Amino acid sequence: MRSIDDFTRPLEYLSPLDGYLGEITRAWAEREVMPLRRGFDEDWEDHETIEPAFKSLMGELGFQRFFFPEDMGGFGMGHSDYGGVGGFRVCEEISRADSAMGVAFAVMHWPLLMICKEPHVNRRLCAEFAPMFCQTEEPVFAANAMTEPQGGSDIENLDLLKGSTIQTTATLDGDQWVINGHKLWPTNSGGAAKLFGVVCTTKPGSSDPDDFAFIFCPADLPGVTQGKPYQKAGMAADKNSDIWFDNVRVPVWYRAHGPGLDFLYFKEMVSWGNVLSLAFASGAMLNIFELLKEFCEETTFRGKPLKENDDVAGVLADIARDIEITRIVGYQSARMLDRPDLYGDNWSDEIVAKCRAYKCFACDKAVEISGKALDIMGPRGSDRARDIEKHWRDLKIVQLWLGGKQLAQMEVARWFYECETL
Amino acid sequence: MKYQELFPVPVEWVQETDEQMAQTVSQWAEAEVKAGRLEHREDYDTLLEPAMRKLMVDLGLGSMLMPDGSGGGGMTTPDAAVTAVVCLELAGYADTGIGFVCANTLALQSSFAIEPNVEAAVLEETAPLFCSDGLNLAGLVLPGYGAGKDHGAFLGMEYQASCKNTSDQELHAGAEVEVTGTSVRPQCCGANGSLFGIVCGLDGAPALAIVPSTAEGLKASEPFLKTGLAPSINADLYLDGAGGTLVFRGEERTLGLLSWYYMACAAVCAGSLLASYEILKEWGDTRVIKGKGQVFKENPLTAALMGEVAGRCGAIRILVFSLARMLARPDLYGPAGSPHIFATATSVFKQASRGAMLGIDNAMELMASAGYATEWNLERYWRDVKTIETYVVPETCASVNMARHYYGLKAL
């Protein structure tokens, strides 16, 4: 009998830990998320049913220690050649159950990439924050505070604007940075995150990469205020809100790397964000496949199972095709992050553009096939009890985030077509 | 500029009565729905039920097609198709779900209140509900996929229920029948509807029976959660010889009902797209991107996509009004239940619902996270229109129905 494991992955790329990571995460998802996920939409504000599952995965199983060095209690994936494909597998398995949980989980690691990932490990900052994540069985979230009210995702438009539109300022005062600004939409805000990576400028209006700063900021410092979570179409397990920084003071060494390098390595985060978006899409698509297969076997049309009708089978074939391709592309892109010696630095314009392209493709396909699945199911498609409609709602934001589709298109066009004025 | 002026329809088809109705429904949309939307979101008791009551009972949309003599609006000629589209587009503009609920009620009434198919006995039976001071919603039950139950098939789709004659007399409109079906999925209002119009199998042919929610032998499941359409609290029905009233028998009348229903739902989708256009316009006028004060809409890439959204608005509006005109003039185009009108209605509904979905999808892509947040109101239209698209007719069935007519299929 066919299953989701029949969809191809490039086996040569898989982490030696792939089986272990995959089995643990899948068992966790089937035990602690899938039976409860239909109630998550009503829990968007309080996370009373969502939080225990995060606690189990991140705290008790320790997956929040993924990138920290081993000598600090971490899994050491920051200096592994398999951080990309390993992370992809974990996020794929989580997202098969709930892509919002996949996003919240991945974004928890996102700012930590800046300091935990070779070749730019900042051991002092790792040592500072490792206890927060590695010496507890409680789930601890981190967040990237990037997007701002005035220009949305302009901040992620690094090639064109080079940080010139950033309004959140970091001012040096003795041995401290003083942060002021207003951020919108960070995943894991709304009271969830204990640590922010804040995108700031040290000189408002400057397009000099040296003035782009990425500064860590614990959420409990005086002057940090988080708003209430936004209500959204889906993605209940991912809290988003406003964050205000009002004369927030942090030690000067909380800046990730310093002039020029913060800008450079921030681009690496864009690459990783895009590749893991493929994992969110791929995981959800796999679950759509298995749910749709079940529906098409138990439902009849013209006197036979739905899947045995040629016209339906044609659509089902397209759905399987798109899942197959998305999964292969996803693992390929994760492999490219793991092997910069072969494919180029994670922060290079080439890798950023290619990861944008893969993410765009995968998310378009994911949104498309989830819609097709609902269409096939007819009046049963929009039942919350069928779960596919949840994937349909959740996947849309994966397509939209990281600057939206148009920004992704521009970055892809800039690199592949050598555009100079976009 | 109002969307009615921006996206024109052939004005000679719209009568003075339609314009008056449009003004009334437009005022209702602003005062009863949009004004409370941000605060009350999709709260049924606080916002949606009072708004439906105002529209359908106080303003009379829920009894528009019922005869004067019964206390209805008296729009009992086929012309009412255009009036219905005018009103349903505006209802969908305010709230897709309210529009959809109204579409169900009006389509059902069209099957026994519109000339030449006026069924006096059925009018007498239903007028106390539709023309009363209470909010009485109707839900259609249509053929669809099967689940192993054998009620017969129509256009390749299986009936969800069957009905039988309970007397020795020959069946006629208004006759008592018994309806049986398990896990029957209404289009809307399984839990908050007062009656159901059930297309069912009767001796191998389609028939429409009306079953009140209070009928003996009818039970509803607990309401189930769904993607959108909050004004419809839906539940599956279990009918065990439930007592009902026969409205009609035969394929032509069934196709006529479906043509009206597809038109009504297409109008609701058009209204939802037009509302989304306005939300996107506000976004495009006020946002700045790429630094340096570039207004969002002035960027060629975003402008191109905004152009597509607007293009869909104009085209879908014309399509829906054209279909209404065809139903309004059977003397020119043939009866609503003729195969070619049914095929056209199917085509228009699919174009309108798909086009609206694509347009709203594009709007959401342009607004990114804001489009996804409840606060900006767009995401509700996105969920609601998708729900309509899947509910009204499964994609596969619609495609084959069109192919059957246009290519002369014999075997499917």
Side-chain angles (χ1 to χ4, degrees), chain A residues 18 22 56 60 85-86 144 180 189 213 218 250 276 307 336 350 354 371-372 385 406 411 416:
Chain A
D18 182 78
S56 169
E60 292 164 8
V85 289
N144 265 346
N180 281 285
S189 54
V250 297
L276 292 180
K307 69 177 185 178
M336 288 164 68
E350 176 182 353
K354 288 181 176 175
K372 281 182 182 172
Q406 283 70 43
E411 292 213 338
F416 281 98

Side-chain angles (χ1 to χ4, degrees), chain A residues 67-69 71-72 78-79 111-131 177 195 214-216 251-259 261-262 265 268 347:
Chain A
F67 282 111
F68 282 102
D71 63 343
M72 296 178 191
H79 64 81
L112 300 173
L113 272 175
M114 285 289 275
I115 55 172
C116 293
K117 177 85 170 59
E118 293 287 1
H120 46 76
V121 176
N122 180 331
R123 282 190 61 84
R124 188 180 183 190
L125 280 175
C126 284
E128 177 77 355
F129 297 124
W177 288 109
L195 181 67
F214 190 87
I215 300 175
F216 285 91
V252 68
W253 53 278
Y254 273 27
R255 182 171 182 177
H257 296 286
L261 295 178
D262 284 356
Y265 300 142
E268 176 174 22
W347 53 82

Side-chain angles (χ1 to χ4, degrees), chain A residues 30 33 39 45 47 82 115 140 142 157 162 185 194 209 257 275 281 284 312 319 321 326 365 384 401 412:
Chain A
E30 291 179 350
V33 182
E45 198 165 12
H47 277 197
Y82 294 104
I115 55 172
V140 180
N157 196 349
K162 297 183 166 49
W185 276 96
K194 298 284 189 288
H257 296 286
V275 169
V312 176
I319 289 175
R321 174 202 65 193
T326 297
K365 288 298 176 192
R384 289 263 298 274
W401 82 322
V412 173

Side-chain angles (χ1 to χ4, degrees), chain A residues 149 152 154 185 231 233-234 299-302 311 375-376 378-380 382-384 389 392-393 396 400 406, chain B residues 41 145-146 156 183 185 225-227 287 290-291 301 305 361 365 369 372 374 379 386 390-391 396 400:
Chain A
D154 260 0
W185 276 96
Q231 191 175 7
T299 305
T300 58
F301 182 44
R302 300 188 200 111
D311 44 356
D375 293 340
I376 285 180
R380 309 279 166 176
S382 61
D383 282 12
R384 289 263 298 274
E389 72 83 38
W392 175 75
R393 283 184 289 121
K396 189 66 189 174
L400 302 178
Q406 283 70 43
Chain B
R41 306 284 166 104
Y145 295 144
S183 194
R185 170 66 51 92
L225 295 171
K226 58 192 184 323
T227 308
R287 297 292 293 181
K290 288 193 170 182
L301 177 68
L305 204 51
D361 226 30
E365 284 164 22
S369 308
Y372 196 73
T374 306
E379 64 85 29
K386 187 67 192 175
T390 59
Y391 253 70
T396 307
V400 173

Side-chain angles (χ1 to χ4, degrees), chain A residues 318-338:
Chain A
D318 287 351
I319 289 175
R321 174 202 65 193
D322 290 345
I323 298 172
E324 177 79 357
I325 291 169
T326 297
R327 203 170 194 219
I328 291 170
V329 171
Y331 276 91
Q332 172 65 43
S333 61
R335 175 68 167 181
M336 288 164 68
L337 296 183
D338 284 336

